[in-house]
Amino acid sequence: MPIQSIQIRNFKSIRDTGELEVKPLNVLIGANGVGKSNFISFFKFLNKLYEQELQLHISKNGRADNFLYFGRKKSDFLGGKITFDNEYRNQFEFQMVPDQSGSLIFSQEYSNFNNSNNNHWNKSKISIPGVQESQLKSSSSFRNNYIRTFLESLRIFHFHDTGFNSRVKQASGANDYAFLHEDGGNIAAFLYRLQQANNKHFKFIEKIIQSIAPFFDRFYLQPDEINPQQIFLRWFEKGSDIMFNAHNLSDGTLRMICLTTLLMQPKLPTTIIIDEPELGLHPFAISKLASMLKSASETSQIIISTQSVNLVNEFQAEDIIVVERNDNQTVFIRQSSEKLKEWLDTYSMGDLWEKNVLGGRPR
């Protein structure tokens, strides 16, 4: 798996995670407002850092005080360290400090590696102190290749917006199919590419949609007849020759199409991060979703946050990270089957969450 551990310091409600182990499957649960979304949004921060769009991201989201733990009066830096589980145990480490304009600038940024089982890390500076944007993307250093590849592909998927004007219901560029967008906005083009190049996977995705939406027969995916530069998500209902589009799908079905496409594509992203994937799904669909998440975790690292007891019921204790607020900071507690053995003889993980045995419930 790509990430072995992550440490986040002074980011929003997170004071210090310590070196939090990241497993193939990681399911964050907890009450509203404890910091699950802050953990997820740190990966968005990392992606903006790599893309050299960090200052714009900071400006649009409340300046430095909104990113630092309790603002500049409480925290004088924001930092992160990701250790990767690969041959050289690459590591990316950075710290940023607030400046007088209310933004954040780099005080240090390093690429580290350690190909032995000791605590001696070979460190190499990426950016000089005082710069506003990371120099990682423009670095030609071979040792940074793995880190660049990871951060470049890092996306946080959220298929929440299924309103009338949402991107997922609009036409997408017929050639916009290199990868699935974070909001599913190019779902039609991406499925069209699978239909043409990976028909076996495409048919499997159709079968899963048929199993959770019995009215659904098949997709119709072709560039638009009037404007071939565009493609719409079109489909047929069973027993009808009338063609429908994305606006005729329920919100839950449309989200499930996006989730199934993401998790069942032939070449999965290295890391898949999804915020509350269960939103609007029927309990039967949630069970299907859990199966797909577990299957995808065999080749990709999965990180999700959820509020669904039904979804939590589908996982093992070791998959679950309980997120709580203690002493005004977010803490993360990985669960253990051994510690919960007596409880698990009688109850499911969802039951234990509801009974507040795990924690992570409103107080």
Side-chain angles (χ1 to χ4, degrees), residues 271-289:
T271 303
I272 296 175
I273 305 169
I274 318 175
D275 193 11
E276 296 189 359
E278 77 281 359
L279 188 66
L281 299 186
H282 186 275
F284 178 73
I286 287 177
S287 179
K288 288 274 186 182
L289 170 63

Side-chain angles (χ1 to χ4, degrees), residues 45-170:
F45 187 91
L46 283 175
N47 181 253
K48 294 298 183 182
L49 179 155
Y50 170 78
E51 294 292 348
Q52 299 180 332
E53 298 174 355
L54 191 55
Q55 296 308 313
L56 177 61
H57 181 63
I58 292 169
S59 295
K60 290 172 66 176
N61 291 276
R63 310 297 291 171
D65 280 326
N66 199 45
F67 288 88
L68 289 164
Y69 174 76
F70 278 85
R72 283 174 288 182
K73 291 183 178 180
K74 185 76 172 179
S75 304
D76 55 5
F77 74 93
L78 182 159
K81 181 171 66 176
I82 300 180
T83 305
F84 297 96
D85 186 15
N86 63 349
E87 180 182 359
Y88 295 101
R89 290 185 67 212
N90 291 88
Q91 191 178 78
F92 176 65
E93 181 179 11
F94 74 94
Q95 279 192 14
M96 304 190 77
V97 296
D99 64 9
Q100 291 184 346
S101 70
S103 192
L104 291 166
I105 58 175
F106 284 89
S107 58
Q108 58 180 262
E109 184 182 22
Y110 288 102
S111 166
N112 312 326
F113 79 89
N114 177 355
N115 57 0
S116 58
N117 292 319
N118 57 43
N119 291 321
H120 178 71
W121 289 86
N122 186 305
K123 305 184 79 167
S124 176
K125 187 181 293 184
I126 297 173
S127 298
I128 61 173
V131 297
Q132 291 188 321
E133 298 288 355
S134 169
Q135 303 304 299
L136 178 62
K137 187 175 185 178
S138 54
S139 167
S140 59
S141 171
F142 176 79
R143 66 178 290 163
N144 295 337
N145 281 348
Y146 188 90
I147 299 171
R148 278 197 299 267
T149 301
F150 174 80
L151 293 179
E152 185 176 33
S153 64
L154 195 57
R155 294 178 184 86
I156 295 85
F157 294 93
H158 50 88
F159 306 126
H160 299 178
D161 186 5
T162 52
F164 185 83
N165 294 316
S166 61
R167 290 188 64 236
V168 73
K169 288 188 175 179
Q170 310 307 313

Side-chain angles (χ1 to χ4, degrees), residues 156-193:
I156 295 85
F157 294 93
H158 50 88
F159 306 126
H160 299 178
D161 186 5
T162 52
F164 185 83
N165 294 316
S166 61
R167 290 188 64 236
V168 73
K169 288 188 175 179
Q170 310 307 313
S172 55
N175 297 319
D176 185 10
Y177 49 60
F179 56 85
L180 184 64
H181 291 181
E182 294 178 0
D183 61 358
N186 66 334
I187 185 69
F190 192 79
L191 280 169
Y192 177 62
R193 190 202 82 180

